Amino acid sequence: MRVRAGLWAVLAVVVALSGVWAAHRGRVAFPVIAMAPGHCILKTAEMRRTHMMLLRAVREDIVRRDARDTRFRLTHCVACHVERTASGRFVPVNAPGQFCASCHAYVGVRLDCFDCHAAVPARKGFTAGTALQAAFRIPRALRGSGGQGPGGQP
Amino acid sequence: MSDGSQTMEPRDEEGGGHEPDALRRKLLKLAGAAVALTLAPGVTVLARDLVVKGSGGRKAPVRYGLLIDANACKTGCDACVRACQDYNGLSHDPGPDNAQWIRKVTITNPKTGFSRSFPVMCQHCENAACVDVCPTGASFRRPDGIVLVDKHRCIGCRYCLMACPYKARSFVARNVSDQKPWAPRGKGTAEGCTMCVERVEAGKLPACVAACERAGHKGMVFGNLHDPKSAIAKRLSEVATTTIRADLGLGPSVHYRGI
Ligand code: SF4
Ligand code: SF4
């Protein structure tokens, strides 16, 4: 009898604790995936899993192998995914809650690209339109749908 | 040309290490080249530029270089320096730890009073000291002759700052913001003149050369040293030029006239 009461007590504690845990589950905000208008160069799911590998491979090509004509460029990512305020100013993609920062905060991975790289597009010259031109060199089958994204869920 | 007479092995284009065997092979190849180029007993012409490894003895198709005419460069004009700073997002202030990718230098002969002012930047050496000393392979020379820092690999040891006889490298000691998209730079890495590699690849002139032209001084010519039809190659074949400290044998891509 006493054993059974003990077991119930343990169970009650476990249930209570899981309630506390559940209440705290939302403490890291879900990422905000602001989808750029038009086509992303890869399907969302693919980009989510592989962007870090792509960027690492491509940085070698660009910096060391003189192959600047590549589809995956950090400047293109920034040009499409940067947020513009109503007054037309750019919000850096690594600012809290922005495209890059919100996911990286959620998964707890330090984002250090923008210690060196510009987190906003150049005022002149490079625009989302230029970035999208590059997208049309991507085989159609690999192209993401863009615009919608699966509900902004991680 | 004053820097064409020394014998140096051509740099391995990938910037890789020199294994003893590979080095021996290269030296043997050079010995062969020396025989081929002996004009008369005791007279051997051996230009460092001529052979690129693995190219079947052909020149690299492209080697970018500059010709700076100190006779045309105006004392007190710093259009090139400003243009470099503006284009690459560097500070205009001459602070103690601010980067200097290009600087104006004035030389004077105290005996005669002859004085010249001209810009000095990374000389994009063929046998670059910075590449030799870099422990990580971050300093490297591209096949087109432009010497860069791969900041993804740079650990900020500053060996290259010490090794470069032209004081062409700077170190970023503080956090940087407002970088230009085409010129990433950040704390803890070495940096130097990139010959405006993005502009060059887009078929434009480096920012300093364009600014000198705009200022109406025409003190700088940029182009492919290996293309005999290029403006720079033609000019180099017409006028007497030299390289700074040619005696060091680094084989700069930046040539000077009038110093
Ligand atoms: S000038 Fe200095 S930094 Fe530039 S390539 Fe030569 S040794 Fe390297
Ligand atoms: S500071 Fe960077 S580029 Fe210079 S030698 Fe060290 S690792 Fe190489």
Side-chain angles (χ1 to χ4, degrees):
Chain A
M1 209 53 185
R2 238 204 262 147
V3 173
R4 183 169 288 187
L7 280 178
W8 277 117
V10 168
L11 191 60
V13 169
V14 167
V15 168
L17 279 179
S18 65
V20 171
W21 180 71
H24 280 261
R25 266 176 69 192
R27 72 194 186 284
V28 178
F30 266 5
V32 188
I33 316 280
M35 301 307 284
H39 294 285
C40 188
I41 55 171
L42 277 189
K43 287 181 174 146
T44 309
E46 229 169 304
M47 188 55 100
R48 231 170 246 165
R49 285 183 180 79
T50 59
H51 70 280
M52 61 300 275
M53 277 91 90
L54 290 172
L55 286 170
R56 202 175 301 148
V58 155
R59 77 184 197 187
E60 293 285 301
D61 283 350
I62 292 179
V63 179
R64 303 193 75 94
R65 280 190 267 290
D66 187 9
R68 229 164 257 271
D69 184 28
T70 169
R71 299 169 305 198
F72 307 102
R73 300 197 54 178
L74 194 57
T75 43
H76 294 208
C77 306
V78 171
C80 265
H81 290 288
V82 74
E83 190 182 304
R84 287 162 182 80
T85 61
S87 59
R89 293 227 347 252
F90 292 121
V91 187
V93 287
N94 62 339
Q98 291 301 309
F99 183 77
C100 296
S102 63
C103 252
H104 275 256
Y106 185 76
V107 295
V109 175
R110 196 172 105 76
L111 174 62
D112 58 6
C113 300
F114 301 103
D115 290 359
C116 289
H117 287 275
V120 291
R123 275 184 215 296
K124 281 188 287 178
F126 206 84
T127 62
T130 337
L132 286 172
Q133 282 177 4
F136 292 110
R137 278 186 264 135
I138 309 282
R140 190 167 292 275
L142 285 173
R143 259 188 236 161
S145 59
Q148 312 308 318
Q153 291 299 305
Chain B
M1 210 170 296
S2 54
D3 64 333
S5 58
Q6 284 178 14
T7 308
M8 288 283 234
E9 40 139 353
R11 172 164 295 288
D12 178 343
E13 288 302 324
E14 265 298 300
H18 292 146
E19 286 160 42
D21 257 12
L23 184 60
R24 201 165 41 235
R25 265 202 305 278
K26 267 196 263 180
L27 288 173
L28 282 173
K29 230 166 50 184
L30 260 177
V35 169
L37 285 168
T38 302
L39 300 176
V43 182
T44 306
V45 177
L46 241 183
R48 253 177 286 120
D49 260 12
L50 285 179
V51 188
V52 172
K53 194 176 138 236
S55 65
R58 276 176 290 114
K59 275 189 195 180
V62 183
R63 179 175 176 190
Y64 290 120
L66 288 167
L67 169 57
I68 296 172
D69 188 348
N71 294 334
C73 183
K74 295 280 172 294
T75 310
C77 171
D78 65 350
C80 53
V81 179
R82 293 242 150 200
C84 174
Q85 291 165 339
D86 288 339
Y87 179 69
N88 293 302
L90 309 175
S91 163
H92 285 307
D93 304 327
D97 60 358
N98 278 343
Q100 290 186 332
W101 291 12
I102 176 172
R103 60 171 73 88
K104 276 300 285 289
V105 169
T106 304
I107 52 162
T108 308
N109 182 339
K111 282 188 188 139
T112 61
F114 175 86
S115 179
R116 279 288 179 270
S117 160
F118 52 88
V120 177
M121 71 291 283
C122 172
Q123 309 285 300
H124 299 278
C125 309
E126 181 171 29
N127 304 294
C130 55
V131 178
D132 275 349
V133 299
C134 181
T136 63
S139 282
F140 72 104
R141 186 167 180 268
R142 290 167 31 124
D144 60 10
I146 299 180
V147 176
L148 293 178
V149 180
D150 179 351
K151 291 165 189 181
H152 301 125
R153 294 194 191 179
C154 175
I155 54 169
C157 70
R158 285 165 266 190
Y159 280 11
C160 56
L161 275 77
M162 298 295 125
C164 171
Y166 303 98
K167 294 206 180 301
R169 286 275 166 92
S170 297
F171 182 72
V172 186
R174 297 174 203 278
N175 281 324
V176 189
S177 57
D178 290 334
Q179 293 94 332
K180 302 289 184 192
W182 48 84
R185 48 194 302 266
K187 185 166 124 181
T189 57
E191 58 181 15
C193 159
T194 62
M195 244 190 221
C196 291
V197 63
E198 280 247 352
R199 290 172 63 103
V200 169
E201 282 179 358
K204 291 193 239 165
L205 291 173
C208 53
V209 180
C212 189
E213 236 175 67
R214 271 200 307 278
H217 296 151
K218 298 219 172 15
M220 295 168 113
V221 187
F222 168 83
N224 178 4
L225 299 169
H226 283 181
D227 174 6
K229 290 196 284 296
S230 69
I232 188 167
K234 279 189 190 149
R235 196 86 185 113
L236 281 169
S237 71
E238 286 163 12
V239 296
T241 57
T242 185
T243 53
I244 303 178
R245 289 302 305 272
D247 55 317
L248 294 174
L250 267 58
S253 297
V254 183
H255 298 256
Y256 287 86
R257 180 188 188 210
I259 60 170

